[in-house]
């Protein structure tokens, strides 16, 4: 039985006071919902403030990105070890905004995945197709290629300390959600690809869905057999909406 997880990706939003208020709300939710994992992913400059605000609660803290290198002469970068030192236990790798706006390749995502685990962080590996790729019928090929790039570098066993998030690019921040059936189809495809290499791991790895999840559509998505929770962007900035999504999980 996989434990449901809901992570709020705050993206590049909020000031310190917002991070404190959102983290307090998240901490209260994590306490009220002991049957699921609730986590928030502030901008890294707000990690310490969020950690302080959530102290003593089971709220998970994560980062949205990490450097593809360990500490050293990489001006402006933040290493996995630094994020862990600030209280992060999880980190996103391969979010579509980093792949498509900032040009991160599958190879860079795989390097970051490896760095995250080396720093003791749990990588949340984001996979997803663009609208053109979906319309061309290549959704499964794209997400499997993205997954394979990580497995080729880090090995199948690395999934024991990772979370996967399927996030169709066309559904992120657009208000357009994949239907529960569309999402389930991709989640099942990912799980069966993993099962071909390691059936036990496939049954244990959590695959979250992300893309315009709201309080009103979360329950139907999370009811699907292979959807183990959500990665939530915009709605995670609205405490009542985030709470409704967590309750649906
Ligand atoms: C995201 O950024 O990971 C995301 C899913 O965003 P939204 O919920 O706003 O679509």
């Amino acid at each position: 039985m996989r434990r449901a997880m809901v992570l709020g990706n705050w993206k590049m939003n909020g000031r310190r006071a917002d991070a404190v208020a959102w983290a307090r709300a998240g901490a209260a939710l994590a306490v009220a919902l002991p049957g699921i994992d609730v986590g928030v992913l502030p901008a890294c400059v707000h990690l310490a403030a969020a950690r302080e605000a959530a102290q003593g609660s089971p709220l998970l803290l994560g980062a949205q990105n990490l450097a593809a290198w360990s500490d050293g002469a990489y001006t402006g970068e933040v290493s996995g070890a630094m994020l862990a030192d600030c209280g992060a236990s999880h980190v996103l790798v391969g979010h579509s905004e980093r792949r498509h706006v900032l040009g991160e390749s599958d190879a860079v995502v795989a390097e970051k995945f490896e760095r995250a685990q080396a720093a003791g962080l749990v990588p949340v590996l984001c996979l997803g197709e663009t609208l053109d790729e979906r319309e061309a019928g290549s959704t499964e090929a794209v997400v499997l290629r993205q997954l394979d790039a990580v497995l080729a570098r880090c090995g199948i066993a690395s999934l024991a300390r990772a979370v996967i998030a399927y996030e169709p690019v066309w559904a992120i921040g657009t208000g357009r959600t994949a239907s529960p059936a569309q999402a389930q189809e991709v989640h099942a495809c990912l799980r069966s690809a993993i099962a071909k290499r390691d059936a036990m791991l496939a049954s244990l790895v959590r695959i979250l869905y992300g893309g315009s999840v709201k309080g009103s559509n979360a329950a139907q998505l999370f009811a699907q057999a292979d959807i183990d929770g959500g990665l939530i962007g915009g709605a995670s900035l609205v405490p009542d909406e985030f709470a409704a999504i967590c309750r649906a999980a």
Side-chain angles (χ1 to χ4, degrees):
M1 184 65 187
R2 295 179 297 273
R3 188 174 156 87
M5 172 179 255
V6 179
L7 299 177
N9 174 15
W10 297 349
K11 310 197 189 195
M12 196 173 71
N13 287 300
R15 298 292 176 266
R16 196 173 174 282
D18 301 306
V20 168
W22 295 333
R24 282 199 186 123
L29 260 180
V31 169
L33 297 171
I36 68 167
D37 288 331
V38 180
V40 295
L41 314 172
C44 67
V45 292
H46 296 320
L47 262 177
R51 175 174 65 174
E52 211 179 308
Q55 209 155 30
S57 85
L59 183 71
L60 300 172
L61 277 184
Q64 301 168 16
N65 178 44
L66 79 164
W69 307 277
S70 52
D71 293 2
Y74 300 101
T75 301
E77 291 290 299
V78 178
S79 70
M82 289 170 172
L83 298 170
D85 190 43
C86 285
S89 56
H90 290 65
V91 63
L92 298 183
V93 294
H95 189 279
S96 74
E97 286 149 16
R98 298 210 60 92
R99 289 181 190 268
H100 297 288
V101 181
L102 295 154
E104 286 188 8
S105 64
D106 289 345
V108 167
V109 173
E111 277 177 48
K112 291 190 172 192
F113 184 102
E114 189 174 46
R115 286 284 172 208
Q117 291 194 327
L121 298 168
V122 176
V124 179
L125 172 63
C126 303
L127 314 169
E129 82 288 4
T130 62
L131 188 57
D132 284 352
E133 288 165 339
R134 173 160 282 267
E135 285 173 348
S138 49
T139 297
E140 294 192 355
V142 169
V143 297
L144 292 177
R145 186 203 74 221
Q146 293 170 339
L147 176 66
D148 282 347
V150 168
L151 298 186
R153 183 174 182 112
C154 305
I156 185 76
S158 66
L159 290 183
R161 290 182 299 124
V163 174
I164 294 173
Y166 167 56
E167 298 204 305
V169 180
W170 48 271
I172 296 183
T174 58
R176 189 174 162 190
T177 319
S179 69
Q182 281 174 319
Q184 166 59 23
E185 196 178 5
V186 180
H187 283 233
C189 157
L190 288 166
R191 202 179 298 286
S192 85
I194 296 165
K196 283 190 191 125
R197 304 180 201 200
D198 188 323
M200 176 61 89
L201 260 181
S203 71
L204 295 176
V205 69
R206 288 185 283 193
I207 309 180
L208 313 183
Y209 170 79
S212 298
V213 178
K214 303 184 269 288
S216 56
N217 59 22
Q220 272 189 309
L221 286 159
F222 299 163
Q224 303 302 306
D226 290 293
I227 300 184
D228 305 313
L231 176 55
I232 317 302
S236 71
L237 304 176
V238 184
D240 286 351
E241 198 65 22
F242 190 58
I245 294 167
C246 290
R247 279 195 294 272

